[in-house]
Amino acid sequence: MSSPTKNVSLYPPEGYGAPKDRQGNATGDVGLPPGTEVWSADNHISLSDDIFFQYLPEELKAQAPRIWYEEGAYQVGAAGHSFLPPEFSAVLMQYDDLVGAASGNLEARIQQLAEDGVYKELAFPNAVLALFFHSDKEMRERLFRIYNQYMAGLQERSKGRFYAAGLINWWDPAGTRRTLEELKSLGLKTFLLPLNPGTDADGNQIDYASTAMDPVWDEIEASGVPISHHIGETGLKAPCEFNTLVVGMMVNVDSFREMFSRYIFSGILDRHPKLRIGWFEGGISWVPSALQDGEHLYASYLHMCEPKLKHDVRYYWNKHMSAAFMVDPLGLQLIDQIGVDNVMWSTDYPHNESTFGYSEKSLQLVIDAVGPEKAAQIVSGNIKKFLGIE
């Protein structure tokens, strides 16, 4: 196991600095088995090309969200007004100037990650997540499909170095099937499903756990494509005058419990036993406490629950789920409770909380905790299994 002293050494008293000021420092000698291809299971990419305006039909171009660069960040918006809150833009400014952060610099991105000791990656969106809340659902699906096509082009160009998480229609079963079929045909291996699904056609809040959503889950299950959930949708419940970013991130990194509970206790996984779910950027140390609390609360309320679960709580985690982490010494100390098969390492490049610039230190924690062979599974084998590319 990692010692407390080694854990402390990972957090320099002066902080890490902005990612745009960091550099890769890989030596290539961290003690992994020869031939191990180090993956980051959770990276991010900023859209730098104005793809929605470019690819929408002429009659819809006036409705297109635009992409532009302003004061150190790539924005998404309309009529010159960003959809992003100022706090989000301020964070983007910390890393969008990294040479590999934007989609227009794929080759530089691959090189920059290699200099940090990372050979392959799964990348999630940055600013375009604002489109999850686009009120015109028909347009929303069009935008998602354009994004998927563009990311598939980058994926093909990368020759196996870059994989992208796509976006699908989750509010209409026919649209779910349509977008999943296209996503698979493009070669994308997973999709990002929001933790907050928004409203239906009648303006009612969508409940993932409702039987009304079963046709959507049916389509996802039939596709065989794994679901990805990511932190970042949880907002502060009240204003915070100082250091709002850190307070907000403390809330964001603990945002999976509700959806985790819906999958298990509402019967989603009992009704759809082939679903596979990945939890990204929230670390792994939340898992043992969620399992422990789930077991205790289910036993406490079992006499009031209907329907009953078909399996014990840990079965659903072990069979259906996995989670990604960057720096999680506590999670690694609890790895026997979580399972080596259920965790994936990541850098979170190019975010502030990424390990970019000190990734080998993070990798060393994994090796120290589980040994080289199991570490290779965590930093390479498990993400390949999740994406189905072994």
Side-chain angles (χ1 to χ4, degrees), residues 154-165:
L154 295 183
Q155 185 170 297
E156 184 175 2
R157 275 175 49 199
S158 79
K159 296 180 170 56
R161 303 290 292 274
F162 171 90
Y163 291 82

Side-chain angles (χ1 to χ4, degrees), residues 3 57-58 76 82 88 124 129 143 175 214 219 222-223 230 236 279 289 340:
S3 68
E58 195 66 36
V76 57
S82 178
F88 195 104
F124 291 87
L129 292 181
L143 300 176
D214 273 351
E219 295 294 345
S223 76
H230 199 283
L236 294 177
W279 307 97
S289 63
V340 169

Side-chain angles (χ1 to χ4, degrees), residues 38-41 325-326 344-347 355 359 362-363 366 378-379:
V38 175
W39 276 74
S40 173
F325 69 98
M326 296 92 73
M344 304 172 285
W345 179 81
S346 65
T347 70
T355 67
S359 291
S362 176
L363 287 169
V366 181
I378 290 171
V379 307

